[in-house]
């Protein structure tokens, strides 16, 4: 006769992966053995084997088998495992088990100065992974206007070097976002209640005033054309809204400083530098990018 019993309240025993590490403990019949339970111990499955001889003398053996769970089999798609609980996704680092960061957090209340010094030292050692070298230009971007009309004009760009594909993608995303915000009326200088309110008072917004302001919009925009280190884009802003131009200039200034150097930006004019009309071949360095 074989009697199976579980030593731990396990609702569902997964597939057991037996390793070379097994523990067999033979005790006298009907004796009990107390085992301390720790959260870090490996689960064990116990088998009580009873064997009756011809004289009906019942002998019992208590066999304890140490079990290793296969985390890869027990862990489901979102990161649950049988023994570790929620572990997060595989590609994410486990920052909860960073002893250095845990020490900094543990001392921030008792000794803030010590925690600050340790954090500064950590940033100095890992600054190469946190800070990225700027690839733009240290020279300020020049901005000029040449008979600019809000309803029908070109915006010209001159780069220090021929922009790379990633630089063109960044510029296209910036102009596209600028057009969307402007088309939705986000750049309306007639409704700047928060920016014009005093800094020493609690901000407040008058919804009725904001609803009665004359709306602004961005009517139309063309494609970004590139020839070597020159680029242009046609715009029809519609309403005369200088704030819309300020927003674009601020974004281009940051792009020129951090990513790709822009020598100058010119608003208006039908001709610019060495730009050649009716040049469409990519072999000559001419490209057109949709906005």
């Amino acid at each position: 006769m074989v009697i199976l019993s579980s030593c731990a309240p396990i609702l569902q025993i997964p597939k057991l992966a037996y390793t070379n590490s097994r523990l067999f403990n033979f005790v006298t019949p009907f004796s009990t053995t107390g085992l301390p339970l720790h959260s870090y111990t490996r689960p064990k499955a116990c088998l009580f084997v009873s064997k009756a001889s011809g004289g009906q003398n019942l002998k019992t053996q208590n066999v304890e088998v140490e079990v290793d769970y296969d985390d890869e089999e027990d862990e489901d798609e979102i990161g649950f495992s049988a023994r570790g609980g929620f572990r997060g996704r595989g590609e994410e680092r486990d920052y909860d088990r960073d002893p250095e960061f845990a020490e900094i957090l543990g001392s921030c209340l008792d000794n803030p100065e010590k925690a600050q010094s340790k954090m500064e030292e950590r940033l100095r050692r890992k600054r190469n992974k946190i800070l990225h070298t700027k690839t733009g230009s240290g020279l300020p971007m020049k901005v000029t206007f040449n008979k600019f009309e809000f309803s029908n004009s070109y915006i010209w760009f001159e780069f220090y070097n021929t922009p790379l594909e990633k630089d063109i993608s960044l510029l296209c995303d910036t102009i596209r976002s600028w057009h969307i915000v402007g088309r939705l009326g986000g750049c309306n200088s007639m409704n700047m209640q928060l920016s014009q309110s005093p800094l020493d008072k609690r901000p407040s917004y008058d919804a009725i005033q904001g609803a009665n302001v004359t709306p602004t919009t961005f009517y139309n925009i063309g494609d970004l054309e590139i020839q070597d280190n020159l680029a242009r884009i046609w715009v029809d802003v519609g309403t005369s809204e200088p704030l819309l131009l300020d927003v674009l200039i601020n974004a281009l200034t940051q792009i020129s400083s951090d990513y790709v150097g822009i020598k100058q930006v010119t608003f208006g004019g039908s001709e610019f530098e060495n730009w050649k009309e009716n040049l469409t071949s990519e072999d000559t360095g001419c490209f057109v990018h949709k906005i």
Side-chain angles (χ1 to χ4, degrees):
M1 178 177 63
V2 178
I3 303 175
L4 301 179
S5 175
S6 175
C7 292
I10 301 177
L11 298 180
Q12 181 179 359
I13 300 179
K15 181 180 178 180
L16 303 181
Y18 292 90
T19 62
N20 294 330
S21 176
R22 291 187 175 92
L23 177 62
F24 296 93
N25 184 20
F26 298 90
V27 299
T28 56
F30 302 105
S31 64
T32 59
T33 303
L35 297 177
L37 297 179
H38 299 281
S39 58
Y40 55 85
T41 56
R42 297 183 178 180
K44 298 181 176 61
C46 299
L47 301 179
F48 291 93
V49 181
S50 300
K51 182 177 180 182
S53 59
Q56 298 299 326
N57 293 328
L58 188 62
K59 297 181 179 181
T60 304
Q61 293 179 342
N62 180 9
V63 181
E64 293 184 0
V65 181
E66 186 175 347
V67 179
D68 286 343
Y69 287 97
D70 192 351
D71 289 339
E72 295 181 357
E73 294 181 2
D74 296 339
E75 190 172 353
D76 60 12
E77 183 177 351
I78 61 175
F80 285 93
S81 62
R83 96 187 132 132
F86 181 74
R87 300 180 58 185
R89 299 189 181 276
E91 64 271 12
E92 296 179 355
R93 290 188 56 188
D94 191 355
Y95 292 96
D96 294 337
R97 290 176 173 81
D98 188 342
E100 181 183 6
F101 197 67
E103 183 181 358
I104 295 175
L105 292 179
S107 60
C108 64
L109 296 179
D110 298 335
N111 194 341
E113 292 79 8
K114 181 179 180 181
Q116 181 179 357
S117 62
K118 289 184 177 180
M119 180 60 71
E120 292 174 353
E121 177 64 23
R122 180 184 174 97
L123 292 177
R124 280 193 295 268
R125 287 188 287 102
K126 299 185 177 183
R127 61 180 292 114
N128 294 332
K129 298 181 180 180
I130 300 175
L131 303 178
H132 298 277
T133 305
K134 292 185 178 181
T135 57
S137 173
L139 300 176
M141 181 184 68
K142 184 180 179 180
V143 179
T144 59
F145 291 85
N146 182 17
K147 299 179 181 179
F148 178 75
E149 298 179 2
F150 282 89
S151 59
N152 182 16
S153 289
Y154 280 105
I155 301 177
W156 303 86
F157 307 88
E158 181 182 3
F159 303 92
Y160 286 101
N161 302 297
T162 302
L164 302 177
E165 185 65 28
K166 62 177 183 178
D167 302 328
I168 298 175
S169 177
L170 176 61
L171 184 61
C172 289
D173 292 341
T174 303
I175 296 176
R176 188 178 299 112
S177 302
W178 173 60
H179 174 243
I180 293 175
V181 173
R183 191 173 185 84
L184 295 175
C187 300
N188 192 343
S189 59
M190 301 300 295
N191 186 30
M192 302 179 64
Q193 301 181 38
L194 298 180
S195 61
Q196 296 176 353
S197 61
L199 298 178
D200 56 346
K201 295 183 180 180
R202 183 177 181 179
S204 62
Y205 187 85
D206 189 342
I208 298 178
Q209 178 183 346
N212 293 330
V213 170
T214 303
T216 61
T217 186
F218 197 137
Y219 287 169
N220 203 355
I221 193 171
D223 298 329
L224 181 65
E225 304 173 65
I226 297 178
Q227 291 184 12
D228 295 330
N229 67 321
L230 302 179
R232 74 175 183 179
I233 187 169
W234 176 84
V235 295
D236 180 7
V237 179
T239 56
S240 300
E241 182 51 78
L243 178 60
L244 197 63
L245 304 184
D246 282 331
V247 171
L248 177 62
I249 293 174
N250 290 337
L252 294 177
T253 300
Q254 197 69 24
I255 291 178
S256 177
S257 173
D258 294 351
Y259 299 99
V260 52
I262 302 176
K263 187 176 182 179
Q264 64 174 323
V265 176
T266 301
F267 292 85
S270 58
E271 297 179 355
F272 184 78
E273 298 293 336
N274 297 325
W275 186 270
K276 299 178 181 179
E277 294 290 345
N278 303 322
L279 189 63
T280 57
S281 176
E282 294 185 357
D283 297 334
T284 57
C286 180
F287 300 92
V288 178
H289 298 269
K290 296 289 183 180
I291 298 299

